[in-house]
Amino acid sequence: MLKIRNLHAKIEGKEILRGIDLDVKAGEIHAIMGPNGSGKSTLASVLAGNEAFEVVEGSVEFNGKDLLDLSPEDRAREGFFLSFQYPVEIPGVSMTNFMRTALNEQKKYRGEAALSASDFLKLMRDRKQLVDIDSDLTNRSVNEGFSGGEKKKNEIFQMAMLDPKLAILDETDSGLDIDALRIVANGVNKLRRPDNATILITHYQRLLDHIVPDFVHVLYKGKIVKSAGKELAYELEKNGYDWIKQEME
Amino acid sequence: MASEQDKLLEEVTNREYQYGFHSDIDMDVLPKGLNEEVIREISRRKQEPEFMLEFRLDAYRKWLQMESPDWAHLKIPKIDFQDIIYYAAPKKKPQLNSMDEVDPELRATFDKLGIPLDEQKILAGVAVDAIIDSVSVKTTFRETLAEKGIIFCSFSEAAREYPDLVKKYLGTVVPSGDNFFAALNSAVFSDGSFVFIPKGVRCPMELSSYFRINTMNTGQFERTLIVAEDDSYVSYLEGCTAPMRDENQLHAAVVEIVTLDRAEVKYSTVQNWYPGNKEGKGGIYNFVTKRGICKGDYSKISWTQVETGSAITWKYPSCVLMGNNTVGEFYSVALTNNYQQADTGTKMIHLGKNTRSLIVSKGISAGKSQNSYRGLVKVSKKADNARNFSQCDSLLLGDKCGAHTFPYLEINNPSAKVEHEATTSKIGEDQIFYCNQRGIDTEDAVGLIVNGYVKEVINQLPMEFAVEAQKLLQISLEGSVG
């Protein structure tokens, strides 16, 4: 599904990603961990097409397409979803309107018919239930006045609505209390299917108690320095990142 | 809704001003220039009563003594007032029994503008007093309204058929010598609308009037007068489009509103005059004086405007809160793009006790445009317990445009409570990227964000105008980002 080869990217002249290689297949859940500043969020931003970052080298293939060649909106329409670490507020734009616009734009791209108002509302009810989100949330403006936890839950709700092939959750767990964490994790688990994939970017092993990854990767100084099964997360939790750093120096 | 969105997309990709066409209708015009003889001729052709001619001549003499105002944050090219045609009328003055008799070309023009004159649109419940240049051609729904005693007709007709009413109220809100452009309008106004809602009547439909400039070098000088008697209510809509032109065209309208005890008038405008091309060439100069007076106690006047057009906009719809417990409201969206300039706002003059006013102004600047809010809140000595709340927000797209706020406060009563909030923001790259990541392209994202920003004002518009206004905003902004 996703093939990253030797990906290098920089921001304001500073190289953050220094040769990433990663393969993600359908049905898999990958966790990317690593100390602060190792490039985790940069990887998510680069894959989503954030223009603040410049790709200097490497390739990314997404379902046979050159991902880096697509505009951010076309990446989304191809089924790539990013759950933002800091979701932005869009005052005055209702969640309903926002989601309907997004969903129908994606459908149009794929040559599917737009949803009627009633079908859309039905889908929204259904997805809200699936990810266990207050119905009040969709009556409000996009993220406006949302608490940190509500914003993260709203990201998962949007993921449920758009049903992406590949979702990257950028520190969706940070700042969540245990209940919100459970809701987010349950949502991700319920949305899991053999034909989609998820990448979790996280600091803590805590989220991985709720969502069990098939692979854990450690990102350090812009490179993936270690990949293993879920047991790697426990090791990191126990020993911190220092031993990795030592191994690298 | 789906096809609605497709249509919108299609319109957004349509890069040029979509109402920029010119229709060939046989016109009867006076020669260029302004003098007493031209004014007498206008009055004669319109078969006006004597008091009207006197009103015009008096205004003309005042105008001669005045100078064009220069205090606004605008760069106004010199206007040669002798190079303007002050009267143009469709040659065959129609006395029509049915739509079939209307000049086909004129009807085609109306159709292009989407003016609801035909049967199908009558079902939409909009009564229309359509104006092409100076003479009102066709008025619908007159009979329905007449049953309730409501008068809705062209100004010329009102001057002939209801001279007492016109004489009683004309110039009482905007005196002929009020300002340079109001004086000019008072001298030469060609036509406009007259609305009278009698005591206790709630007007059963939205009254609407479309204005359109259609002859090369014809300045348009509409005059609108709305009178709402005790316990009455009316909602009036004004929408404007104009054909594309290279030469600048002058537009100087006057609107007067009078509300008596417990009456309410809601006046909504969607203004889309030709703004000039991307290089700032052409476009309409729009110098408007709009004012309402809440004469009777507990009466209310509410202005809502969505201004996307004109090369220059100079416009301050105002409320004089004369009666006790009266309410004035001003909701405004002013969008400028390319080289457009707008200096717009309101005046809330508190004279009576317990008067309240609300100002919500949303400016959007894009391209190399300049957008100013200018508002006065005045509380007179006797206006005990006056309340005002003003919110003035500016949104910038890009870094070559300007947004300015000029609030003026004159408070002469210690019991007054006046609040002013102002914000300036830019559309964030991060907001656009967030939309992109959900599959929404940048143009649509800007439309979405802008329409969210102006929601409070758009919500004040009647439903069908709200939809129209949202489209206009999106169309006016296309190409301004990214």
Side-chain angles (χ1 to χ4, degrees), chain B residues 369-390:
Chain B
S369 65
Q370 294 293 329
N371 199 327
S372 304
Y373 166 80
R374 187 181 303 279
L376 168 70
V377 176
K378 184 173 177 172
V379 177
S380 73
K381 232 178 207 168
K382 290 178 182 164
D384 294 336
N385 301 314
R387 295 282 177 273
N388 163 266
F389 178 76
S390 304

Short mmCIF file of all heavy atoms in Angstrom, two decimals, chain B residues 369-390:
data_model
loop_
_atom_site.label_atom_id
_atom_site.label_comp_id
_atom_site.label_asym_id
_atom_site.label_seq_id
_atom_site.Cartn_x
_atom_site.Cartn_y
_atom_site.Cartn_z
N SER B 369 -6.58 45.33 -2.84
CA SER B 369 -7.71 46.19 -2.50
C SER B 369 -7.53 46.85 -1.13
O SER B 369 -6.71 46.44 -0.32
CB SER B 369 -8.98 45.35 -2.49
OG SER B 369 -8.93 44.39 -1.47
N GLN B 370 -8.33 47.87 -0.92
CA GLN B 370 -8.34 48.59 0.35
C GLN B 370 -9.76 48.57 0.90
O GLN B 370 -10.71 48.93 0.21
CB GLN B 370 -7.90 50.05 0.16
CG GLN B 370 -6.45 50.20 -0.26
CD GLN B 370 -5.47 49.77 0.81
OE1 GLN B 370 -5.74 49.88 2.00
NE2 GLN B 370 -4.33 49.22 0.39
N ASN B 371 -9.89 48.16 2.14
CA ASN B 371 -11.21 47.96 2.72
C ASN B 371 -11.27 48.66 4.08
O ASN B 371 -10.51 48.32 4.97
CB ASN B 371 -11.41 46.44 2.88
CG ASN B 371 -12.86 46.06 3.04
OD1 ASN B 371 -13.65 46.82 3.62
ND2 ASN B 371 -13.22 44.89 2.55
N SER B 372 -12.14 49.64 4.19
CA SER B 372 -12.22 50.39 5.44
C SER B 372 -13.60 50.28 6.07
O SER B 372 -14.61 50.37 5.37
CB SER B 372 -11.93 51.88 5.21
OG SER B 372 -10.69 52.05 4.60
N TYR B 373 -13.61 50.13 7.37
CA TYR B 373 -14.86 50.28 8.11
C TYR B 373 -14.84 51.65 8.77
O TYR B 373 -13.85 52.03 9.40
CB TYR B 373 -15.00 49.19 9.19
CG TYR B 373 -16.11 49.54 10.16
CD1 TYR B 373 -17.44 49.31 9.81
CD2 TYR B 373 -15.84 50.17 11.37
CE1 TYR B 373 -18.46 49.67 10.66
CE2 TYR B 373 -16.87 50.54 12.23
CZ TYR B 373 -18.18 50.29 11.86
OH TYR B 373 -19.19 50.68 12.70
N ARG B 374 -15.92 52.38 8.62
CA ARG B 374 -16.00 53.70 9.25
C ARG B 374 -17.36 53.78 9.94
O ARG B 374 -18.39 53.68 9.28
CB ARG B 374 -15.90 54.79 8.18
CG ARG B 374 -15.81 56.22 8.71
CD ARG B 374 -15.74 57.20 7.54
NE ARG B 374 -14.61 56.90 6.65
CZ ARG B 374 -13.35 57.28 6.89
NH1 ARG B 374 -13.05 58.01 7.94
NH2 ARG B 374 -12.40 56.95 6.05
N GLY B 375 -17.36 53.89 11.24
CA GLY B 375 -18.64 53.87 11.94
C GLY B 375 -18.70 54.91 13.04
O GLY B 375 -17.73 55.16 13.74
N LEU B 376 -19.85 55.53 13.14
CA LEU B 376 -20.08 56.53 14.19
C LEU B 376 -21.17 56.03 15.12
O LEU B 376 -22.24 55.59 14.68
CB LEU B 376 -20.50 57.87 13.57
CG LEU B 376 -21.06 58.92 14.55
CD1 LEU B 376 -19.96 59.46 15.46
CD2 LEU B 376 -21.72 60.07 13.80
N VAL B 377 -20.89 56.09 16.42
CA VAL B 377 -21.95 55.86 17.41
C VAL B 377 -22.07 57.16 18.19
O VAL B 377 -21.11 57.61 18.82
CB VAL B 377 -21.61 54.69 18.36
CG1 VAL B 377 -22.69 54.57 19.43
CG2 VAL B 377 -21.47 53.41 17.57
N LYS B 378 -23.25 57.75 18.11
CA LYS B 378 -23.43 59.03 18.78
C LYS B 378 -24.58 58.91 19.76
O LYS B 378 -25.67 58.46 19.41
CB LYS B 378 -23.74 60.10 17.72
CG LYS B 378 -23.86 61.49 18.29
CD LYS B 378 -23.99 62.51 17.17
CE LYS B 378 -24.17 63.90 17.76
NZ LYS B 378 -24.10 64.93 16.73
N VAL B 379 -24.33 59.31 21.00
CA VAL B 379 -25.38 59.28 22.01
C VAL B 379 -25.60 60.72 22.46
O VAL B 379 -24.69 61.37 22.97
CB VAL B 379 -24.97 58.40 23.21
CG1 VAL B 379 -26.04 58.44 24.28
CG2 VAL B 379 -24.72 56.97 22.76
N SER B 380 -26.81 61.21 22.23
CA SER B 380 -27.07 62.61 22.55
C SER B 380 -27.37 62.75 24.04
O SER B 380 -27.57 61.77 24.76
CB SER B 380 -28.24 63.13 21.72
OG SER B 380 -29.43 62.57 22.23
N LYS B 381 -27.41 64.00 24.50
CA LYS B 381 -27.58 64.33 25.91
C LYS B 381 -28.82 63.67 26.52
O LYS B 381 -28.80 63.20 27.64
CB LYS B 381 -27.72 65.85 26.01
CG LYS B 381 -26.76 66.47 27.01
CD LYS B 381 -26.95 67.96 26.98
CE LYS B 381 -25.67 68.65 27.41
NZ LYS B 381 -25.71 70.10 27.14
N LYS B 382 -29.90 63.65 25.76
CA LYS B 382 -31.16 63.18 26.33
C LYS B 382 -31.37 61.67 26.17
O LYS B 382 -32.37 61.14 26.65
CB LYS B 382 -32.33 63.92 25.67
CG LYS B 382 -32.39 65.37 26.07
CD LYS B 382 -33.53 66.07 25.36
CE LYS B 382 -33.53 67.54 25.76
NZ LYS B 382 -34.36 68.33 24.83
N ALA B 383 -30.44 61.02 25.49
CA ALA B 383 -30.63 59.60 25.22
C ALA B 383 -30.19 58.76 26.41
O ALA B 383 -29.14 58.12 26.39
CB ALA B 383 -29.87 59.20 23.96
N ASP B 384 -31.02 58.73 27.46
CA ASP B 384 -30.67 57.95 28.64
C ASP B 384 -30.64 56.46 28.31
O ASP B 384 -31.44 55.97 27.52
CB ASP B 384 -31.70 58.19 29.77
CG ASP B 384 -31.65 59.62 30.26
OD1 ASP B 384 -30.59 60.26 30.10
OD2 ASP B 384 -32.68 60.11 30.78
N ASN B 385 -29.74 55.77 28.97
CA ASN B 385 -29.64 54.30 28.86
C ASN B 385 -29.46 53.79 27.43
O ASN B 385 -30.01 52.75 27.07
CB ASN B 385 -30.87 53.63 29.47
CG ASN B 385 -31.04 54.00 30.92
OD1 ASN B 385 -30.07 53.97 31.69
ND2 ASN B 385 -32.25 54.38 31.30
N ALA B 386 -28.72 54.52 26.65
CA ALA B 386 -28.46 54.03 25.29
C ALA B 386 -27.46 52.89 25.35
O ALA B 386 -26.58 52.86 26.21
CB ALA B 386 -27.92 55.16 24.43
N ARG B 387 -27.62 51.94 24.46
CA ARG B 387 -26.73 50.79 24.41
C ARG B 387 -26.23 50.59 22.98
O ARG B 387 -27.02 50.66 22.04
CB ARG B 387 -27.48 49.51 24.80
CG ARG B 387 -27.97 49.47 26.21
CD ARG B 387 -26.83 49.12 27.16
NE ARG B 387 -27.25 49.15 28.54
CZ ARG B 387 -27.25 50.24 29.31
NH1 ARG B 387 -26.88 51.41 28.83
NH2 ARG B 387 -27.63 50.17 30.56
N ASN B 388 -24.96 50.33 22.87
CA ASN B 388 -24.44 49.97 21.55
C ASN B 388 -23.43 48.86 21.70
O ASN B 388 -22.64 48.83 22.64
CB ASN B 388 -23.74 51.16 20.86
CG ASN B 388 -22.86 50.70 19.71
OD1 ASN B 388 -21.66 50.48 19.87
ND2 ASN B 388 -23.45 50.49 18.55
N PHE B 389 -23.48 47.93 20.78
CA PHE B 389 -22.41 46.94 20.69
C PHE B 389 -21.92 46.90 19.25
O PHE B 389 -22.71 46.76 18.32
CB PHE B 389 -22.89 45.55 21.12
CG PHE B 389 -21.82 44.51 20.98
CD1 PHE B 389 -20.79 44.44 21.91
CD2 PHE B 389 -21.82 43.63 19.91
CE1 PHE B 389 -19.77 43.51 21.78
CE2 PHE B 389 -20.81 42.68 19.77
CZ PHE B 389 -19.77 42.63 20.71
N SER B 390 -20.63 47.05 19.08
CA SER B 390 -20.06 47.02 17.73
C SER B 390 -19.02 45.93 17.64
O SER B 390 -18.18 45.80 18.52
CB SER B 390 -19.36 48.35 17.38
OG SER B 390 -20.25 49.42 17.54
#
